[in-house]
Amino acid sequence: MRTASFKKRLEEEKGELESRMSSVGRLNPEVPDDWEPVPTETGLEADLVDQADVTVSRESNTAILADLEARYDNILLALKNIEKGTYGKCEVCSNKIDEARLNADPSASTCREHLGA
Ligand SMILES: [Zn+2]
């Protein structure tokens, strides 16, 4: 399978996700490759914001970040598989994943039958 175009799309999406993640979180200095949410309000104004509001915005950042990170992990896995030469194989049954499916989502890691596995 030719993976060059998938690799390009995955790398583009990886960059996009990194910039989106850095707007709601920051890299955890204690855990490599882990992102932690930051409150939406930062700087001087944060002191003036009611404590409850800060908690709410941190929680919504947590949810946003969790979604982005899950997607980001899939992208990293797909890129790793390209390097190993195992890209495009279902991680459950090792059958080839439909190229149409990969076109729709280059980070797909399962065949149609094992969708969501
Ligand atoms: Zn499968």
Side-chain angles (χ1 to χ4, degrees):
M1 170 185 297
R2 277 190 285 164
T3 54
S5 69
F6 294 122
K7 189 174 181 211
K8 189 165 168 282
R9 281 176 59 192
L10 287 163
E11 277 170 348
E12 277 168 9
E13 192 169 351
K14 179 172 173 260
E16 202 180 294
L17 284 168
E18 276 167 355
S19 74
R20 283 171 67 193
M21 286 196 297
S22 63
S23 71
V24 290
R26 61 174 174 223
L27 270 172
N28 186 339
E30 276 145 44
V31 186
D33 290 330
D34 187 49
W35 290 73
E36 56 184 14
V38 293
T40 311
E41 315 293 336
T42 51
L44 284 176
E45 271 174 83
D47 294 336
L48 303 172
V49 176
D50 186 57
Q51 204 57 41
D53 287 347
V54 174
T55 306
V56 167
S57 73
R58 184 179 287 129
E59 272 169 10
S60 69
N61 276 356
T62 304
I64 296 166
L65 193 62
D67 281 351
L68 292 173
E69 249 192 305
R71 178 96 194 122
Y72 186 71
D73 286 346
N74 280 343
I75 305 270
L76 290 188
L77 187 68
L79 284 168
K80 210 173 275 178
N81 285 338
I82 287 176
E83 260 171 53
K84 287 194 299 191
T86 55
Y87 180 73
K89 280 187 185 166
C90 172
E91 65 183 16
V92 178
C93 66
S94 297
N95 281 343
K96 260 174 73 178
I97 302 173
D98 249 9
E99 209 150 327
R101 184 157 149 66
L102 290 172
N103 271 322
D105 178 7
S107 73
S109 60
T110 52
C111 70
R112 240 178 255 277
E113 203 180 317
H114 296 110
L115 196 65

